[in-house]
Each structure stands twice: as C-alpha cells, then as structure tokens.
Amino acid sequence: MLLPATQGIVYDQRIKSRRSSTRTSSWQIDWKVMGPITKARLTLRLVRTVLTWSKRDIDYRPAGLENAKFMSARQAVSKVPDGAVVMSSGMGANMRPAILYFAFRDVHAETAHPQGITWISASGQGGRGRVPGTVEEVAQPGLCCRFISGHLETAHAMLQGGAEGRIELHTMPQGQLILAAEAQGRGEPSIVSDVGVGTFVDPRVGPGSPVSPNAASNLISIEGEHLRYTLPPITCAAVLATEADADGNIYMRSATIYTEVREAVLAAKRNGGFTIVTVAEIIPKAEKDIFLRAEDVDAIVVCPRNEQTLTVPQREHWAMFLPGAAEDLEQSLAKLQFVNRLLKLDPLRGPVENAMARAAVAVLARLARPGAHLINGYGLPQEVGRVLGEAGLARDIDGLIETGVHGGVPAPGLFFGTAINPERLVSSAEMFRYCRDHLDATVLGLLQVDAEGNVNVSRKSARVEDYVGPGGFIDLVCSAKSIVFVGAFQHHAKLVIENGRVRVLSPGKPKFVAHVDEVTFSGQEALRRGQAVYYVTSVATFRLTSRGLELIEVMPGIDVQRDILDGSQARIHAPESVAVIPESYITGVGYRLAWAVERP
C-alpha cells in the first residue's frame, strides 16, 4: 500500500468532527497563559519536591489499625525472602511505588537481606541517575542480581551494574513481558506470539533477551514460526495503588494509570508469593470501586507522601488525569509544560522538530480516517499529538496510550504515559491486547534506518551503559496498520529554518546506514504483513517499498543530492522529480489539514 506524494492529494473538506467541540482546535499552548499565583504555587511545589525527594519514613504505620495486613514499609520488605522475583509497576514518574524502592534499599543496607533478587520492570521506571525513589534504588550490590525490563535507558544504576557484571540484564517487548506476567496469574508459565519475529529478540536474528555479557540464559525461544516468552515465576509484587479500606481492599480512584498493578499481584499470588501494595490513604469501603480484593494482598503500606505523578502528591491529586475529567485543556497543558521547563529533565523541541511533526501529521492525514486508533511514542513522536490539534484533526482521533489510557490528550514530557481528560483507564495488558486488534496507526521514533527499512531504536552503542531497550515499540509495530517513524536525518547535524526553508548548516553522522546496529523493526516483516511504513525526517519523507527506501517529498530548501543522497549510507531510491513539502509545514502559518478522500 503506497502513499502518494503531497502534491495531487485530494482532501474531503466536508468531513465533520464526530467529537464535542469542547476540545481545543489549537495546541499552540503557551505556559504564560497561567496567572502569577498559579506559577508561584507550582514553583513552590517543585522546590519542596526537589528538596525532599529522598525523604522517607519506612517505619510509618497509621495508628489504630487492627488489620495485620497494614504494615510499615520496613516490615513488609523484611518478609521478602532472598532470591525473590519482584515485579513493580508504574511508568516513569507516574504511579511509582517510591517508598517500597527506598525500603528495599534501606533494609538490605542494614541487614544484607533480601539478597540475590530478580527485579522485573515492564516499562521505564528509573530516574536517569538524577531522581531518587525509582527502581534504581534496588541496584545495590548484593540486593539485585538480575533485572528484566522492556525499557532500560532510564535505569542508569541497573545499566552500570550490568556493565560491571553485578547484574544480569535482560529485555523483551514491553507488551509481551506484561502479557507473560498476566499469564502467570492464570497458571501459565509462558506465552507464544509472533511479536518480535525478525527482530533482535528473535534468537534467529539477534541475541534474544540477554543485554549484558553475563546474562547466560535466554528468556525468549523459538516456537516454530513464533516466539515463546518466559518470565521467571514472579514471587513478589511491589506496586502502588491510591487507596485502601480498613478491610484491606485496594482502590485506584485517583490513579493516572493502572499499568501492570493487577497483573503483578495476581501472578505473585498464584505462585504462592508475597504481595505488597502501597497507598496514600485509607477510605471507607466502596464495593463498586474495589480494584483488588483483600485476599489477594498480603501487605499494605500506607505512605502519605505517595505521588500521583511527578511533584503531585496523591492526596492532592490533579483531576485532569482522571477518567471523565473536563478540565480546561489549555490551562492543563500550560501547567504540565511549566513543570517540564522548570525541571529540565526532558528535552525542549525547536522549529525543526516542529516542522517534522507537522510533516508526520500530514502523512497520518493521508493514511488514517476519522475515528482511527492512534498511539504516539515517547520523545519527538509526542509532538505529533500536539500538532494534530494545530492541524484541526485531534478531535477525530481515538488516542491510546500503552499504559492503558483511552482518549484524552496525551500529557507531554515528563508526564508521558498519562492523558489530560482521559475517557477511561484499563491495565497495560488489556491495552496491548486491544491494540493487536484495533490499532490503526502508530508514530514512533528512530535511531537508525537501513536500506531494507529496518529501524533501530533499542541500541545506541556497543556499551551496556548506553542500552535503551525496545519498550512497547515492537508490540506496536506488529499491531498497527500504518507506521510513521519520525526523527532527525543525521546525528548532531546543524539545521536552521530561514524564510520558510530548511538549510543544513553542517551535516552530521548518518542515521540512514548500510545495516542497523540492532533490528528493532523488520522492514521485511512489515512488507509481509502488508503494512504502510513511512519515515519522516528533518530533510525529507521516505516510504518503504518492495525495493527498499523511496524518497517521496523533501523539505523546502533541501538539495536532494547534497543534503540527502550524499548524507546517507543507505541506498535511497529517488525519482527524477520529488514533491516539495508545503511551507506551512515549516512555519505553522496556515497549517490546516483534512482527511484524504480515499485511503491510499
């Protein structure tokens, strides 16, 4: 299925929104729309958070509770045996069980137990070596001997332990990891799937699950034309929910995401293990809202300092993240962008990145239809969600997030994984299953592309310390009908936008290479599945065909020979005449799109 170039496309201007007009049609959000009082309060909250990030009381237990399941964090972690297989929950700064991470570290430092544990983290749960209270707390020598995760990049301490030979590092597609954990809750030791065939997790193509040299075993094996994913039996869950009642039932009434809380708990329980849930407060019993039954929970740790998301205490949660919320979108985005700008833990995007995002949305407008189910990845693909609003198309898209969010507007930067005004929340396992049958399109990043259309996003270099992992990338590219990759054409190239044109001041290191360092996406498998695949870069847009990469349109101001063909190590098929991307994609002035009349 081939997409025609920009010129000659016919759009149906008569298509009307099927959603309420309450959603803004312009996402040119400026955090300055907030008043000085709001900005002052946010700044004070951030200062307080940063100054007290490492503060914890692992001995706290509310007084007057007769239920023995309510324990301090120290008491709960002290019951975890040596050699346990622990699974945690959350994504990034969202719904992280910080008090439990701290307790594992502190109890081990004082008693040398538990030791030799395996830690399973489905998504990125580290703090990049800068934020305390993340999974990196358990990377202490002797405490953790094996770490299994879909995304390792943020867990700097774990990567360092792998480089030093102290910790075995393994990875697998995030969705398959979660579904394998869910299967354990049903008494099934593994799952079989076609996800990952032809990529580096396929032992016929790459190493499979091992990341570090000391990782001798392989958690992924060949099963005919499919792959079998096997996790070690989970014997401990260390997860965060939002509330508990005095009977020990668990609630998620003010949660931003569910991720794999239920799956981790039920797996550990089925395997005869020990389950720990930390909550921020105790509430009256509400039968219809129970998320986990008391019989599935062995220890409940009440921690009033638990956060809903980065810098936001659970007990002072922001309503914007809750299902059914109807918060002002412009004000909500401004608050989140203000926090992102102040903390500077996530890169800011410039004019060139904005131009790429607009070009990517234009591709989506030609591939998808109103009502399409779409997932945007982390990083530059997040900008595509914002630009969908600029183009006037956001209200027609059913946005999904791999953490289990249906609807709403994906939150930017450090709040990735959540959404503003979501429609409903489900578990990550439910979302990955839903995507397998319903995902129309996905927008994802790229590190390298080769002549066969293969993409690497999981390996930055040969160094263990630089490893990234696939996250949910492999699951999504195996599910989506259409795939749009977006990223710079070269590493560290200097580009500038002048008078609506892109100019390359100095070229960088090629990202379009002869062979990618690791196959996270297989071009041949995509062609076999009949998927539409596009690569939107800072200089041009390409598509995958049976003969390889084909150039279909260039940014205005770009010279095809000098800036593209001479700057690529991968063979690119360029027609004699190439369409030029409209200037509005570069400047944003007059940038409006409509859905294509006929899907290519």
Side-chain angles (χ1 to χ4, degrees):
M1 179 165 48
L2 300 182
L3 176 68
T6 301
Q7 295 178 350
I9 292 294
V10 179
Y11 294 102
D12 186 353
Q13 302 292 344
R14 297 169 298 175
I15 292 176
K16 303 297 182 183
S17 170
R18 62 187 191 86
R19 295 289 184 91
S20 168
S21 61
T22 57
R23 294 188 183 184
T24 181
S25 62
S26 174
W27 288 16
Q28 294 278 10
I29 302 301
D30 187 345
W31 59 267
K32 295 177 183 178
V33 302
M34 294 186 301
I37 295 178
T38 301
K39 283 188 271 189
R41 286 175 177 170
L42 284 174
T43 302
L44 287 174
R45 184 198 292 272
L46 289 173
V47 171
R48 181 184 67 184
T49 299
V50 171
L51 291 178
T52 62
W53 250 336
S54 296
K55 183 179 179 181
R56 69 266 199 180
D57 181 359
I58 68 169
D59 293 306
Y60 175 76
R61 181 181 185 275
L65 289 173
E66 297 180 359
N67 191 335
K69 289 188 177 185
F70 287 90
M71 307 178 189
S72 69
R74 181 190 300 278
Q75 290 171 324
V77 169
S78 295
K79 293 180 177 292
V80 178
D82 294 347
V85 177
V86 185
M87 185 170 185
S88 51
S89 62
M91 174 182 274
N94 303 303
M95 300 294 291
R96 60 189 175 123
I99 189 63
L100 301 184
Y101 294 137
F102 281 133
F104 271 93
R105 175 178 181 143
D106 293 353
V107 170
H108 179 266
E110 296 166 8
T111 69
H113 300 284
Q115 60 179 273
I117 64 175
T118 292
W119 200 282
I120 300 175
S121 154
S123 59
Q125 295 175 9
R128 300 184 185 275
R130 298 169 62 185
V131 178
T134 74
V135 75
E136 294 185 77
E137 302 294 342
V138 303
Q140 302 306 303
L143 172 55
C144 180
C145 68
R146 181 168 53 171
F147 182 60
I148 305 169
S149 181
H151 187 86
L152 293 84
E153 183 183 26
T154 63
H156 288 192
M158 295 296 192
L159 291 171
Q160 186 61 40
E164 295 171 359
R166 293 187 289 105
I167 302 176
E168 285 187 43
L169 300 178
H170 291 264
T171 194
M172 63 175 62
Q174 181 180 329
Q176 301 311 293
L177 189 159
I178 293 168
L179 292 171
E182 181 191 51
Q184 288 192 17
R186 300 190 299 266
E188 301 170 11
S190 61
I191 62 171
V192 175
S193 172
D194 64 346
V195 171
V197 171
T199 74
F200 79 93
V201 301
D202 184 340
R204 292 164 292 203
V205 175
S209 73
V211 172
S212 58
N214 63 332
S217 61
N218 202 331
L219 305 177
I220 306 171
S221 58
I222 299 168
E223 189 80 14
E225 296 182 356
H226 294 72
L227 300 175
R228 182 176 293 277
Y229 292 92
T230 305
L231 289 174
I234 297 164
T235 57
C236 178
V239 300
L240 181 143
T242 58
E243 306 93 4
D245 62 34
D247 293 339
N249 298 302
I250 301 299
Y251 301 82
M252 285 287 210
R253 299 201 306 186
S254 54
T256 59
I257 48 178
Y258 295 164
T259 63
E260 45 283 344
V261 170
R262 181 182 283 114
E263 288 72 23
V265 168
L266 296 183
K269 203 65 181 175
R270 180 67 180 247
N271 294 330
F274 188 70
T275 61
I276 311 172
V277 181
T278 179
V279 299
E281 56 187 333
I282 302 172
I283 61 173
K285 186 175 182 178
E287 183 69 28
K288 67 180 181 63
D289 294 333
I290 293 175
F291 185 80
L292 286 168
R293 293 285 173 181
E295 57 263 30
D296 293 322
V297 181
D298 297 306
I300 302 171
V301 175
V302 179
C303 178
R305 288 178 53 83
N306 283 352
E307 289 183 329
Q308 180 197 36
T309 187
L310 187 69
T311 76
V312 183
Q314 191 70 59
R315 298 193 300 177
E316 303 171 22
H317 60 266
W318 284 352
M320 72 170 81
F321 296 121
L322 305 185
E327 299 292 297
D328 181 270
L329 180 56
E330 188 174 26
Q331 289 288 334
S332 297
L333 281 170
K335 288 172 69 173
L336 301 183
Q337 292 288 29
F338 184 76
V339 175
N340 281 320
R341 287 171 183 250
L342 284 184
L343 287 178
K344 297 180 180 178
L345 294 174
D346 208 56
L348 297 177
R349 305 299 177 185
V352 174
E353 288 80 11
N354 288 334
M356 279 191 279
R358 294 187 191 104
V361 170
V363 171
L364 282 175
R366 288 172 264 158
L367 287 171
R369 280 287 176 273
H373 296 89
L374 169 70
I375 284 187
N376 294 326
Y378 180 73
L380 185 54
Q382 288 178 277
E383 298 301 304
V384 172
R386 174 182 60 80
V387 175
L388 275 166
E390 287 184 25
L393 304 179
R395 65 177 69 89
D396 297 324
I397 290 290
D398 277 328
L400 308 174
I401 304 177
E402 62 205 64
T403 51
V405 181
H406 282 265
V409 176
L414 300 169
F415 301 93
F416 178 75
T418 66
I420 302 167
N421 300 337
E423 294 172 7
R424 63 188 178 101
L425 303 181
V426 299
S427 73
S428 294
E430 291 174 88
M431 178 55 76
F432 278 108
R433 271 197 304 274
Y434 186 84
C435 286
R436 197 61 203 262
D437 297 326
H438 299 93
L439 187 61
D440 294 297
T442 186
V443 181
L444 301 165
L446 59 87
L447 284 176
Q448 291 177 315
V449 180
D450 65 24
E452 294 185 357
N454 299 322
V455 175
N456 167 32
V457 298
S458 49
R459 181 175 294 279
K460 287 183 178 179
S461 76
R463 287 167 28 103
V464 171
E465 299 95 321
D466 294 334
Y467 196 71
V468 179
F473 181 100
I474 295 177
D475 303 274
L476 299 180
V477 297
C478 287
S479 299
K481 299 178 180 68
S482 300
I483 305 166
V484 180
F485 297 110
V486 58
F489 184 66
Q490 295 177 326
H491 289 285
H492 308 303
K494 295 182 179 179
L495 286 74
V496 65
I497 290 179
E498 296 175 340
N499 300 319
R501 300 168 70 83
V502 177
R503 186 160 68 92
V504 180
L505 298 179
S506 61
K509 179 181 177 182
K511 296 180 73 170
F512 280 57
V513 296
H515 301 284
V516 295
D517 293 338
E518 188 160 271
V519 179
T520 331
F521 165 78
S522 168
Q524 291 303 306
E525 283 296 309
L527 289 173
R528 183 185 63 79
R529 289 190 292 261
Q531 294 167 300
V533 183
Y534 293 83
Y535 311 80
V536 179
T537 74
S538 46
V539 297
T541 298
F542 310 87
R543 65 183 167 196
L544 179 62
T545 71
S546 58
R547 62 174 184 164
L549 296 175
E550 179 182 343
L551 174 65
I552 61 170
E553 52 192 10
V554 299
M555 293 286 191
I558 293 298
D559 182 275
V560 171
Q561 185 64 48
R562 181 192 66 224
D563 298 326
I564 299 175
L565 300 182
D566 291 348
S568 171
Q569 296 173 354
R571 183 183 179 187
I572 295 172
H573 299 277
E576 292 184 6
S577 177
V578 183
V580 178
I581 290 172
E583 187 176 311
S584 64
Y585 296 13
I586 310 301
T587 64
V589 177
Y591 179 76
R592 298 287 293 178
L593 295 175
W595 303 104
V597 173
E598 296 182 2
R599 185 171 177 174

